Amino acid sequence: WTGEDRGGHGDFGPAASETDGNVVVETAPDVVLRGNVIGLPPDVLAPPEGDVRSPANCIFAVGAQRATVEGNLIAYCGRSGIMTGGSCGDWIIAGNEIRGNAADYPESDGLDLVRSPGGFVIEGNLLAENTGTGMDSFGLTGGFELTGNTIEGNGFGMVETAGIRLYGTGSTVTGNVVTGNAGPGILVVALEDQDGTPGIQCMLSSNHFGGNGGSAIDLAETSGAGEVGDGITLNDGGPGDPCGYDENQGNRGLDFPVLSSTELNGTGTTLTVSGTTCRGSTVQVYRAQPDAGDVLGTSFYGEGVEYLGDVVPAGDTGWFSGSLTVRLNMGDQVTAIAVDASGNTSEFCENMTLAP
């Protein structure tokens, strides 16, 4: 289906049933939904009230392969903006605005990949002001690519509060802007909270965070933390297990790097950082701006509001030192995450303030 304009056949108003969708796709391959307005009446571009709101998912799919959902406005449905289930896979979801969904069911989401094998490419979307998680992968077993999206202001139903929640193995989350969500920016679920598989080998790279109510990256550790997270988890590496992997924690509980020194040159254009990390891990350095969700005791951990670059440890010792070209000022804070060879990514480490 391709919508020419708001008055054409591309407008899908409220669905009759709360259990299906305004658009339902069952098993059919190669479906294309492009340029439509889904969930709103043809004469409305604001949150509908009362029985005007669709009680259903805007798009509901089961078993559909190789679908393309592109350039749509998917807004203000009572349940999820897009919900895929069963064996859905190999989808492209690109350039959509997915806004204001899940008002009637705060455990629903803007985009929800439910118990699917993976193979989704999700790129260049705006997921905003959804009552549940902005982008969820509940019970997913495989992985997906989430690139260049803006995910902001989600989770204020206070049931599922993250901007992004990750289940399954091998997802790649890169270059997204994740800001102003009620809970964690990215929540990687633990084994105890899984329905499918826990989130492991989830590579989180060069994303930009800010203003989230929880920590920017939360590797859930405690039972029951799969909906709202459990905040900062300190490193637990020690003799015999120097990297502190924890198989019951999201991303295997990869320990964050430890910064030992940060030096900024007089012109603010070269940052030299050094420290330690798990052997075989790459260190990604960020400018940090902490919020209330980034504090533990008297220390701040993130949020990484600007990606500055990578530093690769020399040899097999875990010691790293390197210089990055930046534009920073004395008094700015920096932080870092580790990414191991399998893609597991840590939480943010304790911030360091640049001083003369």
Side-chain angles (χ1 to χ4, degrees):
W1 295 289
T2 300
E4 298 275 328
D5 54 53
R6 289 187 50 78
H9 67 279
D11 299 310
F12 298 91
S17 170
E18 65 180 33
T19 59
D20 51 25
N22 295 42
V23 177
V24 179
V25 183
E26 294 183 344
T27 69
D30 303 309
V31 169
V32 176
L33 290 168
R34 181 178 291 124
N36 301 289
V37 177
I38 304 174
L40 289 170
D43 57 347
V44 175
L45 275 176
E49 298 180 358
D51 58 5
V52 176
R53 180 189 295 274
S54 170
N57 304 288
C58 284
I59 299 173
F60 178 68
V62 177
Q65 297 290 314
R66 301 183 304 278
T68 298
V69 181
E70 184 177 24
N72 302 282
L73 173 59
I74 302 168
Y76 302 116
C77 285
R79 290 181 180 263
S80 294
I82 302 175
M83 180 177 180
T84 67
S87 58
C88 289
D90 297 324
W91 282 43
I92 296 173
I93 302 172
N96 302 284
E97 180 175 340
I98 305 174
R99 176 183 295 275
N101 298 290
D104 299 335
Y105 299 90
E107 66 275 14
S108 295
D109 310 289
L111 169 59
D112 195 0
L113 314 179
V114 179
R115 299 187 181 93
S116 297
F120 293 82
V121 175
I122 305 160
E123 184 174 8
N125 301 281
L126 170 63
L127 296 103
E129 300 174 1
N130 298 286
T131 304
T133 301
M135 188 274 144
D136 197 1
S137 53
F138 181 78
L140 196 78
T141 55
F144 57 88
E145 299 177 20
L146 187 70
T147 305
N149 303 276
T150 298
I151 301 170
E152 61 184 20
N154 302 284
F156 283 91
M158 307 312 292
V159 175
E160 296 179 356
T161 61
I164 302 167
R165 184 167 67 159
L166 298 177
Y167 289 77
T169 301
S171 292
T172 301
V173 181
T174 58
N176 302 282
V177 176
V178 186
T179 59
N181 299 286
I186 300 176
L187 173 59
V188 187
V189 299
L191 179 63
E192 292 183 359
D193 292 303
Q194 61 89 22
D195 187 337
T197 62
I200 59 173
Q201 298 175 20
C202 297
M203 187 177 73
L204 317 176
S205 175
S206 60
N207 299 288
H208 296 249
F209 301 90
N212 295 294
S215 50
I217 297 173
D218 190 340
L219 307 185
E221 179 182 40
T222 57
S223 179
E227 293 183 334
V228 299
D230 54 11
I232 297 157
T233 303
L234 295 177
N235 288 348
D236 53 7
D241 189 14
C243 283
Y245 281 114
D246 181 350
E247 299 300 336
N248 292 321
Q249 192 176 352
N251 264 351
R252 299 183 62 208
L254 176 66
D255 279 354
F256 51 70
V258 176
L259 296 175
S260 59
S261 69
T262 56
E263 297 180 9
L264 185 67
N265 71 343
T267 59
T269 56
T270 301
L271 173 67
T272 301
V273 297
S274 60
T276 56
T277 190
C278 292
R279 288 172 292 184
S281 297
T282 297
V283 175
Q284 294 193 350
V285 182
Y286 292 74
R287 180 172 65 85
Q289 184 171 319
D291 289 293
D294 309 306
V295 63
L296 182 64
T298 59
S299 299
F300 291 98
Y301 298 76
E303 297 189 42
V305 297
E306 180 184 0
Y307 167 67
L308 300 175
D310 290 1
V311 178
V312 179
D316 194 34
T317 64
W319 171 259
F320 65 88
S321 182
S323 296
L324 303 170
T325 300
V326 298
R327 290 186 178 179
L328 296 173
N329 298 299
M330 293 297 178
D332 285 344
Q333 297 185 35
V334 295
T335 185
I337 56 177
V339 183
D340 74 10
S342 297
N344 294 299
T345 302
S346 74
E347 296 182 1
F348 279 102
C349 73
E350 185 175 351
N351 300 349
M352 291 193 72
T353 300
L354 302 176

